[in-house]
Every structure is written in structure tokens, then in C-alpha cells.
Amino acid sequence: MTRTFDASTWGAPLSAAGDDILAGEVSLREESLRRKVAFYLDADGLPVSQSSCEPSEWYSTLVTRMTSVVISHGRAVVSIDAALPLHSSILDVAFPGSGSTGSMLDITVVDLSRHRRTLHAAIPSHLVVTGTIAVALSPVVAARKTTAQSHRPAIG
């Protein structure tokens, strides 16, 4: 099965190459092994270390390592070795180097701060703890409070 990556979701041009995922010429699996720390992909697909980013900077793709994987009763809980931006949701996940897709499951991603985000996505049939995970992020904008306007008849 060939995986496609929508740039509007992932923010960077990605492509499948066998079991791996490429950002241009960069193998996400190899880059994750080389860096050993989480990194974002900028709009051109170039890696940017998460630890060097200001809190106000935003990137759509985070690549990091899994520290725990539990699959049970049609659900998966995947702990990662990175902190997700606080005001973000997860649009999609991919598992560079993990082989072909197994099935669709509810996947809960747990970050270093123990924050959880759940989505329904494809997960490979064989995951390796310490394997690589790529996470497509979307900013969540806080809802603004609105006040109801009362319509009272004019007295007069």
C-alpha cells in the first residue's frame, strides 16, 4: 500500500519510500536515529530541533521516538519522547521505518508532559518501541467568549 501525504495536513512535502518517509531527500527514520531528539519539519521539509524553538514558533510536523506502545482491544496508546505544543491537535500520524499499514485504530498519543491526544488513524501491524513517529499537528485556537445581546423593546 502506497501512502500519500497531503501537504495541507503535514505542512511539508512528504513522500513514501518503501517503509520510510522522505522530506525531500531527508529520511525521517535516519534523521530521527541521527538526532536522537525530537525535531520539527519546516515548510521546506528541513529539520529544526524542537529544543531550539521558541514557544511562539509553529511547525506542522513533529518527528520523535516512541518510548512505549500498548495495543489492546482495538486501541493503541503510544508514548513519545517529546512535548506536544499545548494548544495543538493531532491530524495524522505516520510511522517511518515500521512497514506497511496494519489497521485503523483509535490511537492515543501521550507526550512527555503526560498530555493525551487521540485520533483515528492507520497503525502498522508491527511497531518497535524506540521506533520513529511523525505527527501532523494543527493549532487549536481558544474559543472567544461572546455575550448574548438582549433585545428589549424600547420603552417610550
Side-chain angles (χ1 to χ4, degrees):
M1 175 179 180
T2 301
R3 172 97 190 250
T4 59
F5 298 90
D6 184 357
S8 65
T9 298
W10 288 90
L14 300 178
S15 61
D19 289 347
D20 204 355
I21 299 169
L22 302 178
E25 302 276 324
V26 177
S27 158
L28 297 188
R29 176 72 175 144
E30 288 178 18
E31 190 69 17
S32 177
L33 290 171
R34 187 181 73 75
R35 288 180 175 263
K36 297 193 182 3
V37 295
F39 61 93
Y40 293 111
L41 293 177
D42 69 11
D44 296 323
L46 299 174
V48 177
S49 178
Q50 186 183 37
S51 60
S52 68
C53 293
E54 296 293 323
S56 61
E57 290 181 89
W58 179 260
Y59 297 95
S60 297
T61 302
L62 173 69
V63 181
T64 190
R65 306 300 296 255
M66 296 177 285
T67 58
S68 170
V69 177
V70 177
I71 300 173
S72 178
H73 304 293
R75 299 183 58 84
V77 177
V78 177
S79 297
I80 61 171
D81 193 22
L84 294 170
L86 284 179
H87 299 290
S88 66
S89 63
I90 298 177
L91 299 175
D92 199 1
V93 292
F95 301 90
S98 293
S100 62
T101 301
S103 57
M104 297 290 288
L105 295 176
D106 285 337
I107 302 170
T108 299
V109 177
V110 183
D111 74 358
L112 283 176
S113 300
R114 307 308 296 161
H115 294 119
R116 299 170 160 265
R117 291 169 182 84
T118 301
L119 74 154
H120 192 74
I123 192 164
S125 54
H126 294 81
L127 285 180
V128 176
V129 175
T130 73
T132 304
I133 183 172
V135 182
L137 301 168
S138 176
V140 175
V141 180
R144 292 196 276 174
K145 292 183 179 180
T146 58
T147 57
Q149 300 274 334
S150 62
H151 297 285
R152 295 184 188 163
I155 301 176

